[in-house]
Amino acid sequence: MSWLKPAGTGAVIVTLLSTTAGFADVTPEQVWDGWQKGYQSYGYDVMVGNSDRSGDTLTVTDVKITNEMDDSSFTMTIPELKLRDRGDGTVEATMSEKMTGVASSDLPDQPAMSLDMVMTQTDSSIVVSGTPEDMIYAIDAPKVTVEMDQSGDAGDQSIPVKIWLAMENTTGTYEMKLGEAHDVTSAIKTGLVKFTASGADPEGGGTFNFDGQVSDVTYDGRFVLPNGVPMEKLDEALNAGANIQVALKYAASEYAMNVDSPDGPVSQKTTDSGGALDIGMSKDGIHFAGTSEGSKVEMTTKELPFPVNLALESANMDFAMPVSKGDADQDFKAKFALNGLTVSDDLWNMFDPGQNLPRDPATLRIDVTGKMTLSDDLFSPAVAAMPAPPMQVNSVDIKDVHLSVVGAELNGSGALEIQNDGPMPMPKGAIDLSLTGANALMDKLVAMGLVPQDQIMFGRMMLGLYAKPTGDDAYESKVEFKDGGEILVNGQRVQ
């Protein structure tokens, strides 16, 4: 499936929501002037059909906001924008009920794509206060809907996709400080977000339908962009001091997807009881973290006579790494966890009808930190043309590796220095491992007929050679990496 990713579409919704109050002050003229300068600072061109002041209201018509970058473009049209002086030092901004947008891309070796958008808002209002140097607006948008219709061609086949999005009961504040940089702070709440999508895959000959909703969404963010720095040149913007911080939370979500493919229909339903997403980016590095609670998945396929049910108590990830070049070591981390994974008995019974294996929830955790260096800015044009990222890992600290499944449990930790002065990186250090329940699991696999006895014997032999007994069906091993590529397990050389 091909998806359109032209310039500007990644922030279409944020752009449209902030259209009428992006940059404002105590008079309508100051609001309009600040609004134009603000969008221009983010790489947009603003064109106006007519501007007229009558009484306390400035009316601007036929506004076009455009952005072009490489082989992509985005244009948004606002038929009418009204800025009314409320007489108390504030300005009320309202806009047309309907606004339109067009995004297109014509990238090399990809089908040309276009996306038509229509945004409809009802009784939305924004009240702007503050000064030219510190502008604050309050948003009240009872309902905003966005319809998107993608079209494109892959050879002689069309690639249609339709998307519908609705946001209900959106309120919050948006503050922008002007100085040496555009400094924007947002705190927005939306009661409910609904969406649907449908389309066809010309390569596979299938169709899909997708719908869902997310409740009680909160968005807190800060965006700092130094004056005169184009955001599309991300490496230059970050080095100049650009800073992006985003925190999203939601109370619950549910999704449903139906796919009709040549291999047969597939349907999937997913729910969860809340989650969060945090994103940060500056010249000091990029950070991405997320959590999800109480996830449940139900899937039906042609291959199975029953639905597959999965449940997950929680999942989380936390990733951070540098983005700026430098000779000194910089920190990175990667943390990932799936806690309490269970599957339905129907699926278990396919290969364990006698219920020989423990069906306790499974858990996987990985927590790794370390040091690395970058020989070039990660988002520079030169790096985009490189066959591999210009990064070198110098050390790895394995804080925790944990896997518990079907009655067995594996744990590990350790620290490695990476020697990068040879033809290929070589680790030096040690990893400590512990394993429990391995023999009991192997006995059950043989009894069930899932694994032949001779293969299990090989596994037991490897445990005897490279693992030291520490208790009833419990083992531990120390894996050491020496200079010159030598590897020892519990003092025995294996390489």
mmCIF file of all heavy atoms in Angstrom, residues 16 29 51 87 100 124 131 166 216 260 274 309 345 352 372 406 421 447 484 492 494:
data_model
loop_
_atom_site.group_PDB
_atom_site.id
_atom_site.type_symbol
_atom_site.label_atom_id
_atom_site.label_comp_id
_atom_site.label_asym_id
_atom_site.label_seq_id
_atom_site.Cartn_x
_atom_site.Cartn_y
_atom_site.Cartn_z
ATOM 1 N N LEU A 16 -4.126 23.127 10.680
ATOM 2 C CA LEU A 16 -5.491 23.590 10.490
ATOM 3 C C LEU A 16 -6.096 24.106 11.784
ATOM 4 O O LEU A 16 -6.790 25.118 11.794
ATOM 5 C CB LEU A 16 -6.349 22.448 9.927
ATOM 6 C CG LEU A 16 -5.992 22.006 8.506
ATOM 7 C CD1 LEU A 16 -6.798 20.760 8.145
ATOM 8 C CD2 LEU A 16 -6.261 23.104 7.500
ATOM 9 N N GLU A 29 -5.281 43.915 13.402
ATOM 10 C CA GLU A 29 -4.162 44.053 12.473
ATOM 11 C C GLU A 29 -2.905 43.363 12.989
ATOM 12 O O GLU A 29 -2.161 42.736 12.224
ATOM 13 C CB GLU A 29 -3.881 45.547 12.220
ATOM 14 C CG GLU A 29 -4.881 46.229 11.292
ATOM 15 C CD GLU A 29 -6.213 46.493 12.001
ATOM 16 O OE1 GLU A 29 -6.254 46.450 13.253
ATOM 17 O OE2 GLU A 29 -7.216 46.742 11.295
ATOM 18 N N SER A 51 -8.238 42.104 1.982
ATOM 19 C CA SER A 51 -8.249 42.399 3.402
ATOM 20 C C SER A 51 -9.005 43.698 3.613
ATOM 21 O O SER A 51 -8.711 44.714 2.969
ATOM 22 C CB SER A 51 -6.819 42.528 3.934
ATOM 23 O OG SER A 51 -6.814 42.882 5.290
ATOM 24 N N GLY A 87 -12.845 44.949 22.259
ATOM 25 C CA GLY A 87 -12.888 46.168 23.032
ATOM 26 C C GLY A 87 -12.262 46.081 24.406
ATOM 27 O O GLY A 87 -12.299 47.051 25.162
ATOM 28 N N THR A 100 -10.210 24.005 2.659
ATOM 29 C CA THR A 100 -9.734 22.920 1.799
ATOM 30 C C THR A 100 -8.212 22.903 1.737
ATOM 31 O O THR A 100 -7.541 23.909 1.987
ATOM 32 C CB THR A 100 -10.294 23.048 0.372
ATOM 33 O OG1 THR A 100 -9.872 24.312 -0.185
ATOM 34 C CG2 THR A 100 -11.810 22.989 0.372
ATOM 35 N N SER A 124 -16.523 27.067 16.127
ATOM 36 C CA SER A 124 -15.195 27.194 16.741
ATOM 37 C C SER A 124 -14.865 28.660 16.980
ATOM 38 O O SER A 124 -15.216 29.528 16.183
ATOM 39 C CB SER A 124 -14.128 26.571 15.841
ATOM 40 O OG SER A 124 -14.332 25.187 15.716
ATOM 41 N N THR A 131 0.471 40.457 24.229
ATOM 42 C CA THR A 131 1.217 41.532 23.579
ATOM 43 C C THR A 131 1.865 40.982 22.325
ATOM 44 O O THR A 131 1.910 39.762 22.123
ATOM 45 C CB THR A 131 2.312 42.065 24.520
ATOM 46 O OG1 THR A 131 3.306 41.039 24.707
ATOM 47 C CG2 THR A 131 1.726 42.448 25.874
ATOM 48 N N ALA A 166 -12.474 13.058 12.987
ATOM 49 C CA ALA A 166 -13.296 14.014 13.724
ATOM 50 C C ALA A 166 -12.731 14.195 15.126
ATOM 51 O O ALA A 166 -12.342 13.223 15.777
ATOM 52 C CB ALA A 166 -14.742 13.541 13.802
ATOM 53 N N ASP A 216 -10.411 11.175 25.551
ATOM 54 C CA ASP A 216 -9.715 11.998 26.551
ATOM 55 C C ASP A 216 -8.234 12.161 26.211
ATOM 56 O O ASP A 216 -7.346 11.750 26.959
ATOM 57 C CB ASP A 216 -9.873 11.404 27.947
ATOM 58 C CG ASP A 216 -11.321 11.391 28.412
ATOM 59 O OD1 ASP A 216 -12.079 12.272 27.993
ATOM 60 O OD2 ASP A 216 -11.692 10.483 29.170
ATOM 61 N N ASP A 260 -9.893 -7.587 2.964
ATOM 62 C CA ASP A 260 -10.362 -8.599 2.018
ATOM 63 C C ASP A 260 -9.273 -8.779 0.968
ATOM 64 O O ASP A 260 -9.100 -7.933 0.086
ATOM 65 C CB ASP A 260 -11.678 -8.160 1.369
ATOM 66 C CG ASP A 260 -12.298 -9.262 0.521
ATOM 67 O OD1 ASP A 260 -11.747 -10.383 0.537
ATOM 68 O OD2 ASP A 260 -13.306 -9.012 -0.153
ATOM 69 N N GLY A 274 -5.598 2.876 27.941
ATOM 70 C CA GLY A 274 -4.852 4.115 28.101
ATOM 71 C C GLY A 274 -3.394 3.984 27.745
ATOM 72 O O GLY A 274 -2.841 2.886 27.660
ATOM 73 N N ASN A 309 -7.177 -14.659 20.313
ATOM 74 C CA ASN A 309 -7.267 -13.597 21.311
ATOM 75 C C ASN A 309 -5.931 -13.433 22.019
ATOM 76 O O ASN A 309 -5.365 -14.411 22.521
ATOM 77 C CB ASN A 309 -8.353 -13.912 22.337
ATOM 78 C CG ASN A 309 -9.745 -13.865 21.735
ATOM 79 O OD1 ASN A 309 -10.249 -12.794 21.434
ATOM 80 N ND2 ASN A 309 -10.352 -15.027 21.547
ATOM 81 N N ASP A 345 -7.007 -19.974 24.918
ATOM 82 C CA ASP A 345 -6.844 -21.424 25.051
ATOM 83 C C ASP A 345 -7.003 -22.143 23.716
ATOM 84 O O ASP A 345 -6.368 -23.185 23.479
ATOM 85 C CB ASP A 345 -7.853 -21.977 26.062
ATOM 86 C CG ASP A 345 -7.475 -21.635 27.496
ATOM 87 O OD1 ASP A 345 -6.288 -21.364 27.743
ATOM 88 O OD2 ASP A 345 -8.369 -21.637 28.358
ATOM 89 N N ASP A 352 -0.884 -27.936 22.266
ATOM 90 C CA ASP A 352 -0.786 -28.479 23.625
ATOM 91 C C ASP A 352 -2.186 -28.826 24.141
ATOM 92 O O ASP A 352 -2.666 -28.239 25.116
ATOM 93 C CB ASP A 352 -0.114 -27.444 24.539
ATOM 94 C CG ASP A 352 0.099 -27.975 25.952
ATOM 95 O OD1 ASP A 352 0.116 -29.216 26.126
ATOM 96 O OD2 ASP A 352 0.242 -27.148 26.874
ATOM 97 N N MET A 372 28.282 6.226 22.445
ATOM 98 C CA MET A 372 28.527 6.177 21.006
ATOM 99 C C MET A 372 29.024 7.524 20.525
ATOM 100 O O MET A 372 28.916 8.534 21.228
ATOM 101 C CB MET A 372 27.244 5.784 20.254
ATOM 102 C CG MET A 372 26.144 6.813 20.339
ATOM 103 S SD MET A 372 24.564 6.252 19.637
ATOM 104 C CE MET A 372 25.066 5.690 18.034
ATOM 105 N N VAL A 406 6.387 -20.134 29.290
ATOM 106 C CA VAL A 406 6.112 -21.574 29.461
ATOM 107 C C VAL A 406 6.933 -22.206 30.585
ATOM 108 O O VAL A 406 7.484 -23.298 30.445
ATOM 109 C CB VAL A 406 6.310 -22.347 28.135
ATOM 110 C CG1 VAL A 406 5.234 -21.974 27.131
ATOM 111 C CG2 VAL A 406 7.696 -22.118 27.551
ATOM 112 N N ASP A 421 39.035 -0.533 16.424
ATOM 113 C CA ASP A 421 40.270 -0.240 15.692
ATOM 114 C C ASP A 421 40.650 -1.332 14.707
ATOM 115 O O ASP A 421 41.680 -1.262 14.063
ATOM 116 C CB ASP A 421 41.428 -0.009 16.671
ATOM 117 C CG ASP A 421 41.566 -1.131 17.701
ATOM 118 O OD1 ASP A 421 40.710 -2.051 17.684
ATOM 119 O OD2 ASP A 421 42.503 -1.074 18.518
ATOM 120 N N ALA A 447 7.682 -35.159 25.838
ATOM 121 C CA ALA A 447 6.460 -35.905 26.147
ATOM 122 C C ALA A 447 5.323 -35.544 25.205
ATOM 123 O O ALA A 447 4.488 -36.381 24.858
ATOM 124 C CB ALA A 447 6.050 -35.649 27.593
ATOM 125 N N GLY A 484 41.388 -9.874 21.034
ATOM 126 C CA GLY A 484 41.672 -10.760 19.919
ATOM 127 C C GLY A 484 40.504 -11.623 19.505
ATOM 128 O O GLY A 484 40.664 -12.531 18.685
ATOM 129 N N GLN A 492 35.681 -21.733 29.949
ATOM 130 C CA GLN A 492 35.998 -22.606 28.831
ATOM 131 C C GLN A 492 36.021 -21.807 27.524
ATOM 132 O O GLN A 492 35.100 -21.039 27.249
ATOM 133 C CB GLN A 492 34.967 -23.727 28.712
ATOM 134 C CG GLN A 492 34.880 -24.628 29.922
ATOM 135 C CD GLN A 492 33.894 -25.755 29.679
ATOM 136 O OE1 GLN A 492 34.111 -26.603 28.812
ATOM 137 N NE2 GLN A 492 32.814 -25.757 30.451
ATOM 138 N N VAL A 494 35.451 -21.081 23.844
ATOM 139 C CA VAL A 494 34.585 -21.525 22.762
ATOM 140 C C VAL A 494 34.984 -20.905 21.427
ATOM 141 O O VAL A 494 34.532 -21.326 20.367
ATOM 142 C CB VAL A 494 33.113 -21.216 23.075
ATOM 143 C CG1 VAL A 494 32.649 -21.975 24.302
ATOM 144 C CG2 VAL A 494 32.884 -19.716 23.245
#
